Amino acid sequence: MSPRPTWLHTRSTELRAALLDLGLTITDTDAHTILDDKLTEYATLMRVTRQTAQNDFTDERLIAFAQSLARSLSDEAPGADLIEFERTISMPVAAVGLTTAALAEALKVAHINLDDKEAVAGLSLLSTLGMITADANDSVVPTPRPLLLRIARYLDGAAASITDGANLPDGLDDTHRRQFADILAQDADGIRALANTEDGDTPTLWRTPNPR
């Protein structure tokens, strides 16, 4: 007799189907990870058990979550060539430096945990940012908004991985786990805020580089 499908497996399949109806395709592994993270986030926020969080995740909530996720992913312009994409965000050089450093730290997480898929994804983001920066001729770097949103999501993923107990990069011990995850999450929030800067506003740094 085949084992009974778990709640997460069943709901992940339903999430993929809902996203497909909205024109987006993700892998079963990605759907499983996204839904698992969402469930953990809800249980922590509401201070309820995981079982209660599952019970609260009704069909209507799953559809609403899929719609919200689809809007978020669409903002990242999936499949688009970001080198050719419109560069609407004026990114200060210092912000480019912070973003590059954050990506490098997140790549260390992928490397130490032997996650080739995440490493390749991170290297692609880093390469694209470098090529776009090389085109700049001023103190700001015109940058595609979807690139910044993709980078922010990548950093969020690395922070979540560290929080969930992934191996730490060489040179860090477990006493620094929370601080390392918090910095990655802070960088993700800062980059996302920069990506959502209104036209005409001057982008600001989310933290001071090399504080002394």
Side-chain angles (χ1 to χ4, degrees):
M1 180 180 294
S2 299
R4 183 180 179 182
T6 64
W7 182 94
L8 194 56
H9 174 79
T10 300
R11 280 305 204 190
S12 296
T13 301
E14 293 169 351
L15 177 62
R16 287 186 67 197
L19 288 172
L20 187 60
D21 287 342
L22 295 168
L24 288 175
T25 302
I26 62 174
T27 67
D28 185 60
T29 299
D30 286 341
H32 189 284
T33 300
I34 290 169
L35 195 53
D36 188 44
D37 290 345
K38 183 65 177 177
L39 199 67
T40 299
E41 176 188 333
Y42 179 84
T44 301
L45 180 65
M46 302 303 293
R47 297 182 179 179
V48 297
T49 66
R50 195 171 176 85
Q51 182 63 51
T52 298
Q54 290 179 4
N55 293 338
D56 288 348
F57 206 84
T58 60
D59 292 343
E60 292 76 13
R61 181 162 289 175
L62 183 137
I63 294 300
F65 177 54
Q67 291 170 341
S68 174
L69 185 61
R71 286 193 296 270
S72 176
L73 292 177
S74 294
D75 283 345
E76 296 182 15
D81 180 356
L82 295 185
I83 297 295
E84 303 298 329
F85 206 89
E86 184 181 9
R87 303 176 185 183
T88 58
I89 304 299
S90 297
M91 198 172 183
V93 170
V96 175
L98 284 175
T99 302
T100 301
L103 267 175
E105 293 302 318
L107 277 163
K108 289 181 184 178
V109 176
H111 172 71
I112 198 68
N113 288 282
L114 305 178
D115 192 335
D116 292 340
K117 180 182 176 182
E118 285 300 304
V120 169
L123 287 169
S124 178
L125 293 171
L126 190 61
S127 174
T128 301
L129 180 61
M131 293 173 69
I132 287 171
T133 302
D135 284 343
N137 297 309
D138 207 339
S139 59
V140 295
V141 179
T143 308
R145 180 172 180 269
L147 174 61
L148 298 181
L149 295 176
R150 292 185 194 184
I151 290 173
R153 181 165 58 84
Y154 187 82
L155 298 182
D156 277 336
S161 177
I162 289 300
T163 299
D164 291 342
N167 294 324
L168 290 167
D170 292 340
L172 285 179
D173 59 42
D174 214 60
T175 59
H176 295 97
R177 178 178 296 277
R178 169 50 58 187
Q179 181 186 17
F180 183 48
D182 285 348
I183 290 173
L184 287 172
Q186 180 185 2
D187 285 336
D189 288 342
I191 293 167
R192 193 176 291 108
L194 192 152
N196 291 317
T197 300
E198 296 292 336
D199 290 344
D201 289 348
T202 302
T204 58
L205 290 181
W206 54 94
R207 62 186 175 91
T208 303
N210 303 318
R212 291 181 176 85

